[in-house]
Amino acid sequence: IVLEAVKQYWRAFQYADDSLKKDREIVIEAVRQDGYALQYADDSLKKDREIVLEAVRKNGYALRFADDSLKKDREIVLEAVKKDGLELWYADDSLKKDREIVLEAVKKKAVNQYWYALGYADDSLKKDREIVLEAVRQSRHALQFADASLKNDPDFMRTVQSIIDNQNAP
């Protein structure tokens, strides 16, 4: 009955008995509809790589609910930041140094004006011109997280100004 209810609307999973939140088939069905459903799964299934990968592919926000061991999984984190760059915050620190992951994260426009993926990147990548410029293309406010060496580079700042001018052009 619960599986059929979840197939029709994933939120039904939220109200299932705890014993059913351990049922792999029900959890997979729920996260296939919306990765946010991972929040309600039993902790044992938050360690299941297949379930977590499916969840973050649907909703990057699901990374928040994954077991810490899977926040070190490069493929899972990459899929999460492709959906929502701010999920870099929940990635293991080792992956905040991964150039490809950080670049993918900063490509996403910030949904909240006070949070920028660049702010969660390792300091070493806040010196990376390409990453910082991509972040600035999404929001000029991301520049606040750039390394001082870039902010003190006149050529770099001219490039930034050009990006900002293009953003403001009608």
Side-chain angles (χ1 to χ4, degrees):
I1 292 172
V2 171
L3 180 58
E4 288 306 312
V6 169
K7 283 180 179 180
Q8 297 204 15
Y9 185 53
W10 75 266
R11 285 207 176 262
F13 176 63
Q14 175 180 354
Y15 303 105
D17 184 77
D18 287 346
S19 65
L20 296 173
K21 292 178 180 179
K22 296 177 184 181
D23 186 303
R24 194 169 192 284
E25 183 180 8
I26 293 173
V27 173
I28 286 176
E29 182 60 41
V31 300
R32 280 186 179 146
Q33 292 179 44
D34 191 325
Y36 189 80
L38 185 64
Q39 176 182 8
Y40 304 109
D42 184 76
D43 287 346
S44 65
L45 294 177
K46 292 177 183 179
K47 297 176 184 180
D48 184 309
R49 187 177 190 283
E50 181 186 351
I51 289 173
V52 172
L53 188 55
E54 185 71 33
V56 299
R57 282 182 174 150
K58 282 306 226 182
N59 185 337
Y61 189 82
L63 185 62
R64 298 170 191 219
F65 309 116
D67 185 76
D68 286 346
S69 64
L70 294 177
K71 293 176 183 178
K72 297 176 184 181
D73 184 303
R74 188 175 190 284
E75 183 182 8
I76 287 173
V77 172
L78 187 56
E79 289 296 325
V81 300
K82 283 179 180 178
K83 290 288 186 187
D84 183 347
L86 296 180
E87 296 315 306
L88 185 61
W89 181 3
Y90 296 98
D92 184 75
D93 286 346
S94 64
L95 294 177
K96 293 176 183 180
K97 297 175 184 180
D98 184 304
R99 189 174 190 284
E100 181 184 3
I101 288 174
V102 172
L103 188 56
E104 195 63 45
V106 300
K107 286 180 181 179
K108 299 295 177 195
K109 199 168 243 340
V111 287
N112 182 318
Q113 64 178 342
Y114 301 108
W115 302 99
Y116 304 97
L118 186 61
Y120 302 116
D122 184 76
D123 287 345
S124 65
L125 293 177
K126 293 176 183 177
K127 298 175 185 179
D128 185 303
R129 295 173 78 86
E130 182 184 2
I131 288 175
V132 174
L133 289 175
E134 186 59 45
V136 170
R137 282 184 189 96
Q138 301 310 314
S139 172
R140 65 178 171 228
H141 301 290
L143 184 61
Q144 66 186 305
F145 300 107
D147 187 77
S149 64
L150 290 178
K151 292 191 238 184
N152 292 328
D153 178 335
D155 290 332
F156 179 79
M157 291 307 294
R158 276 192 287 280
T159 303
V160 167
Q161 188 60 53
S162 175
I163 290 169
I164 292 170
D165 290 346
N166 286 336
Q167 289 172 342
N168 293 332

